[in-house]
Amino acid sequence: WSPWVPYKTKCHTGWGLISSTGEFVMNRSVAAGCDWCPPGTFSERIYDDVGQTAVCVPCSRGRFQPKPGQTMCPSCKPGTVTGMEGLSGCEECEAG
């Protein structure tokens, strides 16, 4: 069965599935290719009925990623925070 599998949806580490319009997607069935995961996201391996690939996942609150093509999101340093998912940097906490 592997000869008919489009190689363009087998994303490597640091990359994630994208649609034909260039939007990052979480499912190979709607993917047209791969691209570097942008800042604010990390690349995560997934397995489906076709095999292994990768998707770009937004960093969770309290985590960030300033570089493209990474595989994890580090935590914000004490005294800083991210108020939402998918950010590339942390901000200082407000006093109080």
Side-chain angles (χ1 to χ4, degrees):
W1 57 269
S2 62
W4 62 266
V5 175
Y7 181 73
K8 59 186 175 183
T9 62
K10 184 178 181 185
C11 303
H12 298 285
T13 301
W15 295 66
L17 294 168
I18 58 167
S19 69
S20 60
T21 60
E23 295 179 57
F24 287 94
V25 296
M26 302 300 283
N27 189 316
R28 192 189 310 245
S29 66
V30 294
C34 302
D35 200 359
W36 278 107
C37 291
T41 69
F42 68 98
S43 178
E44 181 175 78
R45 287 264 170 234
I46 63 166
Y47 300 87
D48 58 18
D49 57 339
V50 178
Q52 181 177 312
T53 192
V55 295
C56 298
V57 179
C59 297
S60 60
R61 290 179 69 179
R63 295 183 174 272
F64 71 105
Q65 183 47 259
K67 299 177 184 177
Q70 302 300 304
T71 58
M72 51 111 24
C73 294
S75 296
C76 292
K77 293 180 182 178
T80 64
V81 67
T82 57
M84 56 192 303
E85 293 183 341
L87 295 181
S88 60
C90 302
E91 298 177 351
E92 289 189 25
C93 296
E94 293 183 20

